[in-house]
Amino acid sequence: MPGTGSPSTSAALCIGLMSGTSLDGVDAVLALFGAQTFTPQSVLGHHHVPFPAELRAALLALQHSGPDELHRAALASTALAEVYASLIATLLRQTGKTAGEVLAVGAHGQTVRHRPELGYTLQLNAPARLAELCGITVVADFRSRDVAAGGQGAPLVPAFHADLFGDPTRHRAVLNIGGIANITDLPAGSGQAVRGWDTGPGNCLLDGWVQTHRQQAYDANGAWAASGRVQAVLLGSLLAEPWLQGPPPKSTGRDLFNMEWLAARLRTGGVLRPEDVQATLVEFTARCIARDIGRFCAGVEEVIVCGGGILNGHLMDRLATTLLNESSTPVALCSSADHGLPPDEVEALAFAWLAWRHMNDLPGNLPAVTGARGLRILGARYPA
Ligand SMILES: Nc1ncnc2c1ncn2[C@@H]1O[C@H](COP(=O)(O)OP(=O)(O)O)[C@@H](O)[C@H]1O
Ligand SMILES: [Mg+2]
């Protein structure tokens, strides 16, 4: 369980800040670690702020190379630190805690490039500035060390998922549907057998298409997609993407799954109604996830879902149906809330946990998940 520390660790408060590939905003969680057992009451507070429109646009533009991008990246990093700091101030106010009581902030930063095959992954962040602004030690740049050790640098949440949701008798998996979707496989009493990987797109293509055609940040509850019809030829061409066929360990991002990727596959068919494309994207997303569960989580009994995709009712319906086809045994789909943790708190809590691990000189990666040569202490520390 998170917080079940080794004898040398003591109880401490940590904050986790997560802003994922959806670019919707930042989630922050304040939690107590190092106590004997973790319960939902160990999470003392959660707060979400959407990105200001200007910063979101800047971060979105930085997903691709372009003129003056180093300068724009530096400015966006500074702006991120301001957003993070004000979020931390709100969280402290809400929970009645002071900066001096918090051991560390785990700040993931905003991924703008993820190219582990080239030896790098890049999260925009300004941890020194954040430490100045909030007066708390900041741990940042969690992924680079794993990449340096030959790993994918992602996903980093499986060790935490295992701590939180692993069960001695029940084979579970944790599915996080953010911009990209990732799975953690937790066989019963798994110990070393934990595996995790990205399955492909989560919300990123759905958000991109609805933004282009309806100027909405997301397709609320998947209602627009539900009004369209799945196009078999397009679906086939999406599912043929070579990256999807490979086995774990694997990770991906907007570097691959973006609107240009979709446009290239739309060019080969006739003109389609936008709602039919959205319906097809939902089907595609559900199939990528269900296929990987069928292929790599044989015998899983329960899939615990977190991340914003759980609020897309149509996607969840399609996922339940496709899972029936892809799995040889019945699989129960449930929300992380059924296990005491709201779905929008899980990933931010994971980065609070990773900060706590760093501060206690404990490794945060799982080599079997990322492909790294060994366990590594993740992150760099910026003292208060
Ligand atoms: N009511 C909703 N209906 C459908 N999708 C939603 C809803 N609320 C949030 N989402 C989806 O969840 C995404 C945010 O999920 P999140 O877990 O924060 O992803 P990330 O970790 O990539 O930031 C939004 O971009 C959107 O696609
Ligand atoms: Mg988010």
Side-chain angles (χ1 to χ4, degrees), residues 225-236 238-239 272-273 275-284 287 314 318:
S227 75
R229 293 175 62 163
V230 174
Q231 302 298 305
V233 174
L234 175 61
L235 179 62
L238 301 176
L239 285 168
L272 300 175
R273 296 190 311 160
E275 58 270 41
D276 291 347
V277 174
Q278 190 76 359
T280 309
L281 289 174
V282 164
E283 193 67 21
F284 169 58
R287 291 260 194 116
H314 182 55
R318 293 311 308 151

Side-chain angles (χ1 to χ4, degrees), residues 75-128:
L75 293 183
S77 303
T78 304
L80 265 178
E82 306 279 342
V83 171
Y84 290 168
S86 86
L87 185 52
I88 289 170
T90 306
L91 194 58
L92 291 176
R93 229 180 6 258
Q94 279 178 355
T95 53
K97 301 292 177 192
T98 61
E101 292 174 85
V102 181
L103 177 69
V105 174
H108 173 267
Q110 192 65 49
T111 298
V112 284
R113 301 287 184 279
H114 183 66
R115 303 297 299 275
E117 75 283 9
L118 299 178
Y120 76 91
T121 179
L122 187 58
Q123 285 75 45
L124 294 188
N125 210 343

Side-chain angles (χ1 to χ4, degrees), residues 22 24 37 57 66 71-72 83 94 131 145 153 182 189 207 244 247 263 287 295 320 332-333 352 375 378:
S22 295
D24 56 321
T37 48
H71 176 66
R72 289 188 286 117
V83 171
Q94 279 178 355
R145 185 60 188 268
N182 60 273
D207 287 354
L244 296 168
R287 291 260 194 116
R295 286 194 298 169
L333 265 186
L375 294 166
L378 302 180

